[in-house]
Amino acid sequence: QVQLVESGGGSVQAGGSLRLSCAASGESLSAYYMGWFRQAPGKEREGVATIDRGGTTGYAEAVRGRFTISRDNGQNTLYLQMNSLKPEDTAMYYCAADLVWWYLSPTYTYWGQGTQVTVSS
């Protein structure tokens, strides 16, 4: 099974950018459908962006046009480029993987431990 480790979170001011990475080990990432999710305190986990094995992407309405998901199968890494960040983007961000494409539903089988993103106004 695949193991996932996120990195790249931090604190930024509104309007800033961050790039999250999700490094996979144990198996090749190329076999998996992937997603980025986030969870703010007191809220449910929500899908942010997703990518299939061929590179087709999907985004939540709240981040479309600001966030970009990508994958580098050679590096076994998933990325999330986040631009024009807003305070409401503050959350713990998780990457997830599965052999079934759940799109933005948080029903993926494999999850990382999360990386915190904090956006101040």
Side-chain angles (χ1 to χ4, degrees):
Q1 64 183 34
V2 65
Q3 291 85 43
L4 305 172
V5 178
E6 302 95 335
S7 61
S11 297
V12 296
Q13 291 191 329
S17 298
L18 284 173
R19 188 193 196 200
L20 305 183
S21 298
C22 172
S25 62
E27 292 190 18
S28 173
L29 204 57
S30 62
Y32 289 85
Y33 299 91
M34 306 291 297
W36 283 101
F37 295 80
R38 66 186 181 187
Q39 188 166 19
K43 295 188 176 181
E44 294 186 354
R45 189 169 298 189
E46 63 175 358
V48 173
T50 185
I51 187 167
D52 78 354
R53 293 181 295 193
T56 297
T57 59
Y59 296 92
E61 187 62 36
V63 306
R64 188 174 291 120
R66 299 189 297 122
F67 291 11
T68 302
I69 188 172
S70 62
R71 63 194 300 165
D72 186 336
N73 291 334
Q75 295 294 319
N76 235 25
T77 303
L78 178 74
Y79 300 101
L80 185 68
Q81 178 67 44
M82 304 186 297
N83 298 329
S84 302
L85 282 161
K86 304 175 181 180
E88 50 263 45
D89 294 319
T90 295
M92 185 72 77
Y93 282 72
Y94 301 87
C95 67
D98 207 312
L99 296 176
V100 174
W101 197 14
W102 298 106
Y103 205 69
L104 293 174
S105 173
T107 49
Y108 287 67
T109 300
Y110 305 105
W111 292 84
Q113 83 291 345
T115 186
Q116 178 67 38
V117 172
T118 303
V119 185
S120 58
S121 57

